[in-house]
Amino acid sequence: MADEVTQRKIEHVNIALANDVSAPQRANWNDIQFVHQALPEVDPGNIDLSTSFLGQALRYPIFMSSLTGGHPAVTMINKNLARAAEHYGLALGVGSQRAAILDPRLAASYSITREQAPHAFLIANIGAPQLITQDKHAPFTLEQVQRAIHMIEANALAVHMNSLQEAAQPEGDRNAYGEVAALRLLTQQIGLPVIAKETGAGVSREQALLLRSCGISAIDVGGAGGSSMSALEAARSQTRGDERTMNIGLLYKDWGIATPIAIVEARTARLPLISTGGIRSGLDAARALALGATMVGIGFPFLQAASESYEKVCEVVESIIAQLKVAMQLSGATTLAQLRETDIVVTGASHEWLALRGFEDELKLMAQRHW
Amino acid sequence: MADEVTQRKIEHVNIALANDVSAPQRANWNDIQFVHQALPEVDPGNIDLSTSFLGQALRYPIFMSSLTGGHPAVTMINKNLARAAEHYGLALGVGSQRAAILDPRLAASYSITREQAPHAFLIANIGAPQLITQDKHAPFTLEQVQRAIHMIEANALAVHMNSLQEAAQPEGDRNAYGEVAALRLLTQQIGLPVIAKETGAGVSREQALLLRSCGISAIDVGGAGGSSMSALEAARSQTRGDERTMNIGLLYKDWGIATPIAIVEARTARLPLISTGGIRSGLDAARALALGATMVGIGFPFLQAASESYEKVCEVVESIIAQLKVAMQLSGATTLAQLRETDIVVTGASHEWLALRGFEDELKLMAQRHW
Amino acid sequence: MADEVTQRKIEHVNIALANDVSAPQRANWNDIQFVHQALPEVDPGNIDLSTSFLGQALRYPIFMSSLTGGHPAVTMINKNLARAAEHYGLALGVGSQRAAILDPRLAASYSITREQAPHAFLIANIGAPQLITQDKHAPFTLEQVQRAIHMIEANALAVHMNSLQEAAQPEGDRNAYGEVAALRLLTQQIGLPVIAKETGAGVSREQALLLRSCGISAIDVGGAGGSSMSALEAARSQTRGDERTMNIGLLYKDWGIATPIAIVEARTARLPLISTGGIRSGLDAARALALGATMVGIGFPFLQAASESYEKVCEVVESIIAQLKVAMQLSGATTLAQLRETDIVVTGASHEWLALRGFEDELKLMAQRHW
Amino acid sequence: MADEVTQRKIEHVNIALANDVSAPQRANWNDIQFVHQALPEVDPGNIDLSTSFLGQALRYPIFMSSLTGGHPAVTMINKNLARAAEHYGLALGVGSQRAAILDPRLAASYSITREQAPHAFLIANIGAPQLITQDKHAPFTLEQVQRAIHMIEANALAVHMNSLQEAAQPEGDRNAYGEVAALRLLTQQIGLPVIAKETGAGVSREQALLLRSCGISAIDVGGAGGSSMSALEAARSQTRGDERTMNIGLLYKDWGIATPIAIVEARTARLPLISTGGIRSGLDAARALALGATMVGIGFPFLQAASESYEKVCEVVESIIAQLKVAMQLSGATTLAQLRETDIVVTGASHEWLALRGFEDELKLMAQRHW
Ligand SMILES: Cc1cc2nc3c(=O)[nH]c(=O)nc-3n(C[C@H](O)[C@H](O)[C@H](O)COP(=O)(O)O)c2cc1C
Ligand SMILES: Cc1cc2nc3c(=O)[nH]c(=O)nc-3n(C[C@H](O)[C@H](O)[C@H](O)COP(=O)(O)O)c2cc1C
Ligand SMILES: Cc1cc2nc3c(=O)[nH]c(=O)nc-3n(C[C@H](O)[C@H](O)[C@H](O)COP(=O)(O)O)c2cc1C
Ligand SMILES: Cc1cc2nc3c(=O)[nH]c(=O)nc-3n(C[C@H](O)[C@H](O)[C@H](O)COP(=O)(O)O)c2cc1C
C-alpha cells in the first residue's frame, strides 16, 4: 500500500502542475472590499508583518501550505520551499506523511524540510481518515503519528480533513465515522498543538465549534475557491477510466464553503485561523487577514514556483509581501492587528450566504468599524 | 382518437430523444447550497437511503417518472425501466394511459411494467383534463380509470396536471374548469392513493393546500427546469406548420415555478412530496430531499437510458445513488431523515422569489438549523 | 413648418421600420412572474377579455398605439390598423395630428381611421409641447385642438408627453414650461376625456398624481423598454450630420422608468392606465394587466404589420389574444378583474427600484394575494 | 530629480493618450437613476448652471481636472484648456507643480494657464507625499508651496492624495505617514483655500471628516472608475521591465471607492465636493450633482481634446453642457439647487456598498424626496 500511496503523491503533483485545478471564481475574493484611506498615515517602511502563531513568532503571516513529500522526485520541491521558509521566517507544511510512516525509506523527502529550515515553524501532516478504521487499513497508532512528527521535528501537527477528496478518489478511504473521537483522543495524547485543516471545502461555524471541543489549537479553514482536490482526483480517475468516480469529482468540484465565508464562519470559535484556498495575491491575503485570519496558507503558487527553483519561490514570497503591504497602507494599517480593525465591505454572493446564515449584523459592524 | 393519441405518444418520445427540451438553468439548483461538514461523522457504507412512500417501503427515494406507453415501439423502454425498478426497489410510473384505455390492444406497452417488476411500486397515469368534459370528448368514467389501474396493478394513481402542455399542443384538451371537483370525486371513489402530478410548471403553496383539500395523498411538484412539455409541443407544432401554437410553446417554455421553489412552497401542505423536474445528478437529488421532498422523480435521463438498454438504466441509477451518498456524507447525514435536518442555504433567484412569497423566515431557519 | 412636420412623420415611420429602435431588455418584463396554478379551473373558451375604458366597452384590452398620419404614404397603414380595430373592437390611436392641423390637406391620412372604424374607440393625438409657446411657434388654440378631434371624430384625446424626444430631435420643441397649466385648461375646456400619454420614459407616482390634479381622465404610462423615440431621433440626427444631437439621442436611449415599474408607480393615482412600451407578446400583456393596467398599448408590432397588410395586423391581434389567454388560464383568471387579483412576483431590477421608491410592502402583498 | 519628474510628466500624458487607462465600469454610474418627470415644467432656455465654489461664481459646475504641466511639450495642452476655461467660465487645474518648483524654467508650462485665463478659477497642485519627508527628498517648504500658487496666481490649492499611485510607481514616494499633520499646518499657514483631491481611489465618510478637521475647504472625491493612475503606472513599469511594480499596478487597478459612492460617503462632512473620476457625459455629471457634488471634475476627455485643439476642448464643453441640461430638464430641475432635490434611485453594487456602510435610510430618502 505504501507503493500505491507514493505513486499517488507523484500523480497529485504532476496533475496539479499540468492542469488548472483551481476554481478561483468560487472564492469570490472580489466580494471583499476595503474602504480606501485617502490619508492612510502609514509609512510602508514601518509596516510590521510579524505575527505569532501557536506561541511562536513568525516574520510574515504566510504558511506554505502542506503540499508534498513521499516520493524522491518531490524532495527538491520541499527543499526549495524549506530554504525560503528559513530565509523569510515563514511557516511550512509538508504533504501527508502516510507514505513515509508506512515506508521509512521515503522519510527523506519530508525531513529535508527540517534540514533546510532549522528555525522555521514546521507542520507535520496526516489525514483524519487515517485516524480511524477503514475498509483497507487500520487506524494509525499514536506511535505512528509521532513518527510523522519526529520525521520533521514538527512544531505542530496538521490533521487534514478531506472527506470530499476521499469520495472523489478511486481508491479513497471513504469512512469518516469516528474522526471526532479520534481527534479528541489525539489532541489529549500527542503533546503538540494540533491544527485541523480542511483541504478545499471549508469549515462552518458549527464545525469550528466542534473542532474546538475536540481540543484543536488552530483551524485551517481550507475553503472552496483554490486548488480543488475534487478536480484533481477527477483528472486521476479519468486517466484510470473510472468514469463514475470521475463524474463525482467533477460534480463536486465546486462543493463547499468559499474561503472568505469560511473565515467569517469559523472565527466564531475564537481559535487562531489559517486561511487557505485560492489566495493568489497579497491583496487576497490582506482580505483574509482583515476578515480575521491569523495567517494565510498558499498552496499551488508555491508548488509551481518550487518545482522550478528556490529563486522562484523567493519571488512569490516577495511579491505577496509587497502586495500585502500596499493593501495595508491604503487601508491605513501598519500592523496586522490594525489590519484586522479596518473597515471591510462584504458584498455579493458572500454577503448573501452570510446574511442567511445569521451574520448580517456582523457584516454591518465590519463595514462600519470606524463610525 | 386513439390513433391520434398513440401517434402523439411516439412523437413525444422521439422529439424528446432528438431535441434538448430541458431548461435546466430554470431550476436554479445551484441556488441550493449545503453547509459542508469538515468532520461529517458518516460512514458511506452505512448510509441508508430507504424511505417509505404511501405506506410502502422503498430502497431508494427515486421515482422513475411517468414517461411513456401506448405504442408498441415504446414497450422496450418500459421493460428496461421496469427491470431496473424491480432490481433496485424504485418507484416507477408509466406514461398517460389514455391510449390503452381507449384501445385495449395498446395495453401491453404498459402492462409490461408489472410483468417485469412484480414487487415495484407502480404508478398508473391519467390526465386531469381527461377527467372533465372537453370539446372533443367526454370525461373518463370511473370504470375507465380503474382499467388504467388494473392494467399495471398499480400501487397508486398519478393524475397529471398539464394545462400548460395542453395550451401549447395543437390538438390540446384546453378546458381546465371542473378539475377540482373531478379530482375530489375521484379520490373518494377510486380506493387507491392519488398523486397529483405537475409536469413542468410546479405547484404553489396555495395549490398544494387546494390539492390536499381534494383528498390527494401525495404531490409531485413537477417544477420548471426539467423537460419542458411546452418546448416539446412547440417542436411538434413546428413539424405541423402550426406557427401560432408553436409560438405559444416557445413563449411559455420557461413558465412556471422552478422545482426547488415548488418544494418549499408545496411542503406547506404537509403531504408526501415527489420532486420532479430537472434532477440531473445525485447532488440535485440531495438538494431536493434536503428541501423537503420525500422522493425525487427523474424523467428524461431514464428515458434516454431506457431507449438504449437495461444496463444503461442501471448505470444511471448507480451513478445517482453514488452521487447522492456523497452529498449526504459531506453534509453529515446517514439517513434521509438526517438529510432533511441539514443546513441548506437558498440563494439567488430562488431566495428572492421565496422571500417575496413570505418564506424569508423559513429560509433563515433552514440555513441555521444547527445553531 | 407643416412641410417640416409632414416630412418628419414619414422619416419616423421609415426609420422605425428599417432600424431596431426598441430596447426590450430595459423593460425587464421577465422580472414579472406569475404563480402557476396547477389546477387553474379555467375554460379558455369562457375567458372574457372585455373591458371598459372611459365609459366605453371594448372587446379586448388592446390599444393600437398612436403611431402615424400626416403624410399620404402612411394612409394605408392607418387604414389597415383601423379595419382591424373595427373588426376586433380595439382602441386605436393616430399619430400626432399637428401636420394636419397646420395643413388640412393632410387630414385624410388621419380621417381614414374613422371611415374604416366607425364603431372603434378612436384617440386623437397632439403633443404637450404644442400646447405652450415654443421658440418657433405659438401654442395651439382650443379651436385647433378641436380640429384634431373632429378630424377623426375621436372618443378621447391623447396629449403625448415627449420631452425626451424633443430634446433628442434636431428641430425639437424644447420648452416644457407651462405644460401643466395648459393641460389643466385643456381638460376644463375640451369636453372630451384627455389621456396623458408618455412616449417611452414612463410616468412616476408623483407625476401620476400631478396629472390627476390636472383633470386627466387616464394615463398611458408609456415606459422605457419599447420603441425608443430617443434612438429614433438619434438615427435621424445621424442622417443630418448633427453629431451633438445624435449623441444626446444615444446617451438618453435608456433614460426613463421601465414600463412595468411605471404601472406600479402610476397606479397610485387610481386612474385608468394604459401600459405601453415594449409589450411584445400576450404574456407581456398579461403581466401589465396583472400589475394594474386597464389596457395595453402596442406600437411597433402593429406599425410593422400594418405596413404589410391588413391580414398581418389581424395575425398580430390573434396571436396576442391567444397568448394572453394562456397566461390568464395558467394563473387561474377567467376575467381581467380576476387577472388583476392573481399573485405576481416582481423580482430583479424592478424589485430593487420599487423597494427603494417605497413600494416594498405593496410588492409583498402582490406576491401573496391569495395567502 | 527635476529631470526625473519632468520626464515622468510627459510619460504620463503620452501613456494616457495612447492607452485606455480608464475603468469606467468600476464607477457604476448606471446604478444612479433619475425618476423621469413626464411634465418637467422646465424651459431648457432658462436652465441656470451657475454655481459658486469657494466664494467665486462659476458659470458652469465643471472643473477641468488637474492634468499636466512641467514639460514644454504640454504647454499647448494647458493653453487650450485655459482658453476654454476663460471662455466658458470654468474652473481649471494644473498638474502637479513639483517639476517647476524644483526647476523654475519649467514654470511657463503652468503659468500659461493664467495668461490665457485671467478671470478663471485656477487651482494650483501639489502632492500630499511631497509635504512630508520621503526617502529621497525633504518636504516642500511653505515658500515652495507658495511658489506654486504664485506661478499661476491660483485661486485655490489642490493637494492631491495619491498613495495608490505612489505605491504603483517604480520611483514612488511611498511614505504617507505625517500627511495629516502637514495638511493641518498647511491650511493654517497658506492663506488660500485648500482642496484635498483624491486621484482615483475615492474618499470615505471617515476620511472626509478627517479632512474637514484638517481645515480643508473642499474635497475632490476622485473616485475609482475613471483614469486609473494605477494602470498608468503599470504601463510605465512595463516599459521599464519592473515586473513586480507592474503587477502591483495591475492588481490594484480597481482598488478604491467608486466615484458615486464616494460622493454619498464624503458629503457627510458637509464641505463643497468636486466629483472626479469617470465622468464621461453630461448625464454622469447630472448624476454626480444630484448625489450632492458641487462641481464635477473631468480629466481624460479634456486631456484628449486639448492635445488636439482648442476647438475640440470647446466641443467637449458644449456637449457636456447640452447633455447635462437634458438630464436636468427631464428630472424637472432648472437650477443646480433643484437638481440636488430630485429623486435619485441608487441601485446595484452602489446600493449594496452604501447599505452595508450605513447609508440605507439615506438612499431611501433620496429615492423618495418628493413623496
Ligand atoms: C498537489 C497538491 C497536493 C496536496 N497535498 C496535501 C496534503 O497531502 N495534505 C494537506 O493537508 N493538503 C494538501 N493539499 C492541499 C493544500 O495544502 C491547500 O490546502 C490547497 O492547495 C489549497 O490552497 P491553494 O488554493 O493555495 O492551492 C495539496 C494540494 C495540492 C495542489
Ligand atoms: C417524452 C416525455 C413524455 C412524458 N409523458 C408524460 C405522461 O404521459 N404523463 C406524465 O405525468 N408525465 C409525462 N412526462 C413528464 C415526466 O413525467 C416528468 O415530469 C418530466 O419529464 C420532468 O422531469 P425531467 O426533467 O427529469 O425529465 C413526460 C416527459 C417526457 C420527456
Ligand atoms: C414611428 C413611430 C411614431 C410614433 N409617433 C407617435 C406620435 O405621433 N404620438 C404619440 O403619442 N406616440 C407616438 N409614438 C409612440 C407610440 O405610440 C408608442 O408609445 C411607442 O411606440 C412605444 O410602444 P412600442 O414599444 O409598443 O412600440 C410613435 C412611435 C413610433 C415607433
Ligand atoms: C495623464 C494624467 C495626469 C494626471 N496628473 C495629475 C496631477 O498631476 N495631479 C492631480 O491632482 N491629478 C492628476 N491626474 C488626475 C486627474 O486630475 C483626475 O483626477 C483623473 O484623471 C480622473 O478623472 P478622469 O476619469 O475624468 O480622467 C492626472 C490624470 C491623468 C490622466
Side-chain angles (χ1 to χ4, degrees):
Chain A
M1 202 197 80
D3 274 10
E4 181 190 305
V5 176
T6 187
Q7 168 63 17
R8 184 162 67 228
K9 289 294 136 188
I10 192 74
E11 278 180 34
H12 278 160
V13 167
N14 289 340
I15 290 176
L17 290 174
N19 302 265
D20 189 358
V21 296
S22 288
Q25 76 291 349
R26 264 294 274 132
N28 289 320
W29 285 113
N30 289 335
D31 281 355
I32 316 301
Q33 298 182 63
F34 286 95
V35 177
H36 175 71
Q37 306 287 292
L39 291 179
E41 288 293 293
V42 172
D43 181 349
N46 289 340
I47 287 181
D48 177 7
L49 289 170
S50 69
T51 194
S52 135
F53 183 69
L54 300 180
Q56 177 156 333
L58 297 173
R59 274 163 56 212
Y60 298 104
I62 298 177
F63 166 49
M64 296 173 130
S65 201
S66 321
L67 284 167
T68 195
H71 193 288
V74 301
T75 309
M76 184 56 70
I77 291 178
N78 273 343
K79 181 175 174 188
N80 289 336
L81 293 171
R83 280 182 65 194
E86 182 71 14
H87 183 68
Y88 291 102
L90 312 181
L92 170 64
V94 292
S96 169
Q97 293 172 263
R98 189 193 332 190
I101 291 174
L102 300 175
D103 179 354
R105 285 167 305 173
L106 297 169
S109 62
Y110 297 99
S111 55
I112 181 90
T113 56
R114 181 51 84 202
E115 287 160 28
Q116 296 291 328
H119 306 96
F121 191 95
L122 289 194
I123 303 177
N125 193 283
I126 56 167
Q130 283 79 55
L131 295 178
I132 58 174
T133 306
Q134 298 288 349
D135 272 9
K136 301 183 224 138
H137 70 80
F140 280 152
T141 61
L142 184 61
E143 190 276 326
Q144 282 178 308
V145 176
Q146 277 161 342
R147 210 181 298 164
I149 293 170
H150 295 144
M151 203 181 298
I152 62 166
E153 294 163 46
N155 302 77
L157 169 68
V159 177
H160 66 252
M161 305 175 291
N162 67 337
S163 306
L164 170 54
Q165 180 176 18
E166 303 288 349
Q169 190 168 295
E171 70 281 23
D173 281 341
R174 301 259 154 77
N175 182 25
Y177 181 77
E179 291 177 353
V180 169
L183 260 185
R184 207 164 267 155
L185 200 67
L186 182 69
T187 60
Q188 283 162 11
Q189 302 186 331
I190 202 70
L192 202 72
V194 175
I195 303 166
K197 175 177 188 298
E198 243 298 338
T199 57
V203 174
S204 72
R205 177 188 174 282
E206 292 76 16
Q207 293 283 304
L209 294 172
L210 174 64
L211 289 167
R212 190 179 61 185
S213 80
C214 291
I216 293 297
S217 301
I219 295 174
D220 183 333
V221 300
S227 301
S228 161
M229 298 296 115
S230 181
L232 196 68
E233 296 299 347
R236 284 183 66 231
S237 299
Q238 191 172 27
T239 64
R240 282 156 200 244
D242 179 347
E243 206 183 331
R244 194 179 305 155
T245 310
M246 180 187 81
N247 283 336
I248 286 181
L250 295 178
L251 181 62
Y252 285 90
K253 181 166 53 69
D254 282 339
W255 174 276
I257 307 171
T259 309
I261 295 179
I263 304 170
V264 177
E265 293 243 351
R267 70 181 190 190
T268 311
R270 304 190 176 279
L271 287 178
L273 292 184
I274 306 175
S275 165
T276 310
I279 303 271
R280 292 295 173 266
S281 71
L283 176 51
D284 293 342
R287 288 160 165 156
L289 295 164
L291 287 175
T294 308
M295 186 151 82
V296 299
I298 301 177
F300 182 66
F302 280 128
L303 180 67
Q304 209 171 25
S307 75
E308 294 194 38
S309 68
Y310 168 65
E311 287 72 24
K312 281 275 171 189
V313 178
C314 294
E315 176 52 31
V316 170
V317 175
E318 301 264 0
S319 278
I320 285 170
I321 291 172
Q323 294 165 353
L324 169 54
K325 285 186 176 173
V326 173
M328 290 182 66
Q329 182 184 28
L330 300 184
S331 53
T334 303
T335 65
L336 294 179
Q338 286 172 6
L339 181 59
R340 273 179 214 108
E341 287 307 313
T342 57
D343 286 353
I344 284 285
V345 183
V346 178
T347 59
S350 309
H351 179 190
E352 192 181 14
W353 171 291
L354 288 166
L356 279 161
R357 287 274 294 163
F359 295 94
E360 176 78 3
D361 288 344
E362 214 163 311
L363 292 192
K364 287 214 171 114
L365 287 174
M366 287 165 71
Q368 304 175 30
R369 284 169 175 160
H370 292 315
W371 273 59
Chain B
M1 202 198 77
D3 273 10
E4 181 190 305
V5 176
T6 187
Q7 167 63 17
R8 184 161 67 226
K9 289 294 135 188
I10 191 74
E11 278 180 35
H12 278 160
V13 167
N14 289 339
I15 290 176
L17 290 174
N19 302 265
D20 189 359
V21 297
S22 288
Q25 76 292 350
R26 263 293 274 132
N28 291 320
W29 284 113
N30 289 335
D31 282 355
I32 316 301
Q33 299 182 62
F34 286 94
V35 177
H36 176 71
Q37 306 288 293
L39 291 179
E41 288 294 292
V42 172
D43 181 348
N46 289 340
I47 288 181
D48 176 8
L49 289 169
S50 68
T51 194
S52 134
F53 183 68
L54 299 180
Q56 178 157 335
L58 297 174
R59 273 164 56 212
Y60 298 103
I62 298 178
F63 166 49
M64 298 173 127
S65 201
S66 322
L67 284 167
T68 195
H71 193 288
V74 300
T75 308
M76 185 56 71
I77 291 179
N78 273 344
K79 182 175 174 188
N80 289 337
L81 293 171
R83 281 181 64 194
E86 182 71 15
H87 183 69
Y88 291 101
L90 311 180
L92 169 65
V94 293
S96 169
Q97 292 171 263
R98 188 190 337 186
I101 292 174
L102 300 175
D103 179 353
R105 285 168 306 174
L106 299 169
S109 62
Y110 298 98
S111 53
I112 182 91
T113 56
R114 180 51 84 203
E115 288 160 27
Q116 296 291 328
H119 307 95
F121 191 96
L122 290 194
I123 303 177
N125 194 283
I126 57 169
Q130 283 78 58
L131 296 178
I132 58 175
T133 306
Q134 297 289 347
D135 273 9
K136 302 183 223 138
H137 70 80
F140 280 151
T141 59
L142 183 62
E143 189 275 325
Q144 283 178 307
V145 176
Q146 277 161 341
R147 210 181 298 164
I149 292 170
H150 295 145
M151 203 182 295
I152 62 166
E153 292 163 47
N155 302 77
L157 169 68
V159 177
H160 66 251
M161 307 177 288
N162 67 336
S163 306
L164 170 53
Q165 180 176 17
E166 302 288 349
Q169 189 168 293
E171 68 281 25
D173 281 342
R174 301 259 154 76
N175 182 25
Y177 181 79
E179 291 177 353
V180 170
L183 260 186
R184 207 164 266 155
L185 200 66
L186 182 69
T187 60
Q188 284 162 11
Q189 302 185 329
I190 202 69
L192 200 73
V194 176
I195 303 165
K197 175 177 187 298
E198 245 295 340
T199 56
V203 174
S204 72
R205 177 189 174 283
E206 293 76 17
Q207 293 283 305
L209 295 171
L210 175 64
L211 288 167
R212 191 179 60 184
S213 80
C214 291
I216 292 298
S217 301
I219 296 173
D220 183 333
V221 300
S227 301
S228 161
M229 297 297 115
S230 182
L232 196 68
E233 296 299 346
R236 284 184 66 231
S237 299
Q238 191 172 25
T239 64
R240 282 156 200 244
D242 179 346
E243 206 183 329
R244 194 180 304 155
T245 309
M246 179 188 80
N247 283 336
I248 286 181
L250 295 178
L251 181 63
Y252 284 90
K253 181 167 54 68
D254 281 340
W255 173 277
I257 306 171
T259 308
I261 296 179
I263 304 171
V264 178
E265 292 242 352
R267 70 181 190 189
T268 311
R270 303 189 177 280
L271 287 178
L273 292 185
I274 306 176
S275 164
T276 310
I279 303 272
R280 292 295 173 266
S281 70
L283 177 52
D284 293 342
R287 287 159 165 158
L289 295 164
L291 287 175
T294 307
M295 185 151 82
V296 299
I298 300 177
F300 182 66
F302 280 128
L303 180 66
Q304 211 172 22
S307 75
E308 294 195 36
S309 67
Y310 167 66
E311 287 70 26
K312 281 273 171 191
V313 178
C314 294
E315 177 51 33
V316 170
V317 175
E318 301 265 358
S319 278
I320 286 171
I321 291 172
Q323 294 165 352
L324 168 55
K325 284 186 176 172
V326 173
M328 289 181 65
Q329 181 184 28
L330 300 184
S331 54
T334 304
T335 65
L336 294 179
Q338 286 172 6
L339 181 59
R340 272 177 215 109
E341 287 307 313
T342 57
D343 285 355
I344 284 286
V345 183
V346 178
T347 58
S350 309
H351 179 191
E352 192 182 13
W353 171 292
L354 287 166
L356 279 161
R357 288 274 293 161
F359 295 93
E360 176 78 3
D361 289 344
E362 214 164 309
L363 292 192
K364 288 216 171 111
L365 287 175
M366 287 165 71
Q368 303 174 31
R369 284 169 176 160
H370 293 314
W371 272 59
Chain C
M1 204 199 77
D3 274 10
E4 181 190 305
V5 177
T6 188
Q7 168 63 17
R8 184 161 67 226
K9 290 292 136 191
I10 192 72
E11 278 180 34
H12 278 160
V13 168
N14 289 340
I15 290 176
L17 289 174
N19 302 265
D20 189 0
V21 297
S22 288
Q25 77 292 351
R26 263 292 275 133
N28 291 319
W29 284 112
N30 290 334
D31 282 354
I32 317 301
Q33 299 183 61
F34 286 95
V35 178
H36 176 71
Q37 306 287 294
L39 292 178
E41 287 294 291
V42 172
D43 181 348
N46 290 340
I47 289 181
D48 177 8
L49 289 170
S50 68
T51 194
S52 135
F53 183 69
L54 299 180
Q56 178 158 333
L58 297 173
R59 272 165 53 212
Y60 298 104
I62 299 177
F63 165 49
M64 297 173 128
S65 201
S66 321
L67 284 167
T68 195
H71 193 287
V74 301
T75 309
M76 184 55 71
I77 291 178
N78 273 344
K79 181 173 173 189
N80 290 336
L81 293 171
R83 279 181 66 195
E86 182 72 15
H87 182 68
Y88 291 102
L90 311 181
L92 169 64
V94 293
S96 168
Q97 293 172 263
R98 183 180 354 177
I101 292 174
L102 301 175
D103 179 354
R105 285 168 306 173
L106 297 169
S109 62
Y110 297 98
S111 53
I112 182 92
T113 56
R114 181 51 85 202
E115 288 160 27
Q116 296 291 328
H119 306 94
F121 191 95
L122 289 195
I123 303 177
N125 193 284
I126 57 168
Q130 283 79 57
L131 295 179
I132 58 174
T133 307
Q134 297 289 347
D135 273 9
K136 302 183 223 138
H137 70 80
F140 279 151
T141 61
L142 184 61
E143 189 275 326
Q144 281 179 308
V145 176
Q146 279 161 341
R147 210 182 296 163
I149 292 170
H150 295 144
M151 202 183 296
I152 61 165
E153 294 163 46
N155 301 76
L157 169 68
V159 178
H160 65 251
M161 306 177 288
N162 67 336
S163 306
L164 171 53
Q165 179 177 18
E166 303 288 349
Q169 189 167 294
E171 69 281 24
D173 281 342
R174 300 259 154 77
N175 182 24
Y177 181 79
E179 291 177 353
V180 169
L183 259 186
R184 208 165 266 156
L185 200 66
L186 182 70
T187 60
Q188 285 163 8
Q189 300 185 330
I190 202 69
L192 201 71
V194 175
I195 303 165
K197 176 178 187 299
E198 243 299 338
T199 57
V203 174
S204 71
R205 178 189 173 282
E206 294 77 17
Q207 293 282 305
L209 294 172
L210 175 64
L211 289 167
R212 191 179 61 186
S213 80
C214 291
I216 292 298
S217 301
I219 295 173
D220 184 333
V221 300
S227 301
S228 160
M229 297 296 115
S230 183
L232 196 69
E233 297 298 346
R236 283 184 66 231
S237 299
Q238 191 173 24
T239 64
R240 280 153 202 247
D242 179 346
E243 206 183 329
R244 194 179 304 155
T245 310
M246 180 188 80
N247 283 335
I248 286 181
L250 295 179
L251 181 61
Y252 284 90
K253 180 166 55 69
D254 281 340
W255 174 276
I257 306 171
T259 309
I261 296 179
I263 304 170
V264 178
E265 293 242 352
R267 71 182 189 186
T268 313
R270 304 189 177 279
L271 287 178
L273 291 185
I274 306 176
S275 164
T276 310
I279 303 271
R280 291 297 173 266
S281 71
L283 177 52
D284 293 342
R287 287 160 165 157
L289 295 164
L291 287 175
T294 308
M295 187 150 82
V296 299
I298 300 176
F300 181 67
F302 280 128
L303 180 66
Q304 210 172 22
S307 74
E308 293 194 38
S309 68
Y310 166 66
E311 287 71 25
K312 282 273 171 191
V313 178
C314 294
E315 177 51 33
V316 171
V317 176
E318 301 265 358
S319 278
I320 285 170
I321 290 172
Q323 294 165 353
L324 169 55
K325 284 186 177 172
V326 173
M328 289 181 65
Q329 181 184 30
L330 299 184
S331 54
T334 304
T335 65
L336 295 179
Q338 286 172 6
L339 181 58
R340 272 177 215 108
E341 287 307 313
T342 57
D343 286 354
I344 284 287
V345 183
V346 178
T347 58
S350 309
H351 179 191
E352 193 182 14
W353 171 292
L354 287 166
L356 280 160
R357 288 274 293 161
F359 295 94
E360 176 77 4
D361 289 344
E362 214 163 309
L363 292 192
K364 288 219 171 108
L365 287 175
M366 287 165 71
Q368 303 174 30
R369 283 168 176 161
H370 293 314
W371 272 59
Chain D
M1 200 198 80
D3 274 10
E4 180 190 307
V5 176
T6 186
Q7 168 62 18
R8 185 161 64 227
K9 291 292 136 191
I10 191 73
E11 278 180 33
H12 278 160
V13 167
N14 289 340
I15 290 176
L17 290 174
N19 302 265
D20 188 0
V21 297
S22 288
Q25 77 291 350
R26 263 293 275 130
N28 289 321
W29 285 112
N30 289 335
D31 282 354
I32 317 300
Q33 299 182 64
F34 286 95
V35 178
H36 175 72
Q37 306 287 292
L39 292 179
E41 287 294 291
V42 172
D43 181 349
N46 289 340
I47 287 181
D48 177 8
L49 289 170
S50 68
T51 194
S52 136
F53 184 68
L54 299 180
Q56 178 158 333
L58 297 173
R59 273 165 54 213
Y60 298 104
I62 298 176
F63 166 49
M64 295 171 130
S65 201
S66 322
L67 284 167
T68 195
H71 193 288
V74 301
T75 310
M76 184 55 72
I77 290 178
N78 272 343
K79 181 173 175 189
N80 289 337
L81 293 172
R83 281 181 64 195
E86 182 72 14
H87 183 67
Y88 291 101
L90 310 182
L92 169 64
V94 292
S96 169
Q97 294 172 262
R98 184 186 344 182
I101 292 174
L102 300 175
D103 179 352
R105 286 168 304 174
L106 297 168
S109 62
Y110 297 98
S111 54
I112 182 91
T113 56
R114 180 51 85 203
E115 288 160 28
Q116 296 291 328
H119 306 95
F121 191 95
L122 288 194
I123 303 178
N125 194 284
I126 57 167
Q130 283 79 56
L131 296 178
I132 59 175
T133 306
Q134 297 289 349
D135 272 8
K136 303 184 223 137
H137 69 81
F140 280 151
T141 60
L142 184 61
E143 190 275 325
Q144 283 179 307
V145 177
Q146 278 162 341
R147 209 181 297 163
I149 292 170
H150 295 144
M151 202 182 296
I152 61 166
E153 294 164 46
N155 302 76
L157 170 68
V159 178
H160 66 251
M161 306 176 289
N162 66 338
S163 307
L164 170 54
Q165 180 176 18
E166 303 287 351
Q169 191 168 293
E171 69 281 25
D173 281 342
R174 301 258 155 78
N175 182 24
Y177 181 78
E179 291 178 354
V180 169
L183 260 186
R184 207 165 266 154
L185 200 67
L186 182 70
T187 60
Q188 284 162 11
Q189 301 185 331
I190 201 69
L192 202 72
V194 175
I195 303 165
K197 174 178 188 300
E198 243 299 337
T199 56
V203 174
S204 71
R205 178 189 174 281
E206 294 76 18
Q207 293 282 305
L209 295 171
L210 175 65
L211 288 167
R212 191 179 61 186
S213 80
C214 291
I216 292 299
S217 301
I219 295 173
D220 184 334
V221 299
S227 301
S228 161
M229 296 297 116
S230 182
L232 196 69
E233 296 298 348
R236 283 183 66 232
S237 299
Q238 191 172 26
T239 65
R240 280 152 202 250
D242 179 345
E243 206 182 332
R244 194 179 304 156
T245 310
M246 180 188 80
N247 283 336
I248 286 181
L250 295 178
L251 181 63
Y252 285 90
K253 180 166 54 71
D254 281 340
W255 174 276
I257 306 171
T259 309
I261 296 179
I263 303 170
V264 177
E265 292 244 350
R267 70 181 192 189
T268 312
R270 304 191 176 279
L271 287 178
L273 293 185
I274 306 176
S275 164
T276 310
I279 303 270
R280 292 295 173 268
S281 70
L283 176 52
D284 293 343
R287 288 160 165 157
L289 295 164
L291 287 176
T294 307
M295 186 150 82
V296 298
I298 300 177
F300 181 66
F302 280 128
L303 181 66
Q304 208 172 23
S307 74
E308 294 195 36
S309 68
Y310 166 65
E311 287 72 24
K312 282 274 172 191
V313 178
C314 294
E315 177 51 32
V316 170
V317 176
E318 301 265 0
S319 277
I320 285 169
I321 291 172
Q323 293 166 353
L324 169 55
K325 284 186 177 172
V326 172
M328 290 181 66
Q329 181 184 28
L330 299 184
S331 54
T334 304
T335 65
L336 295 179
Q338 286 172 6
L339 181 59
R340 273 179 214 107
E341 288 307 313
T342 57
D343 285 354
I344 284 287
V345 184
V346 178
T347 58
S350 309
H351 178 191
E352 193 182 13
W353 171 292
L354 287 166
L356 279 161
R357 287 274 294 161
F359 294 95
E360 176 77 3
D361 289 345
E362 214 163 310
L363 292 192
K364 287 219 171 109
L365 287 174
M366 288 166 71
Q368 303 174 30
R369 283 168 176 161
H370 293 314
W371 271 59

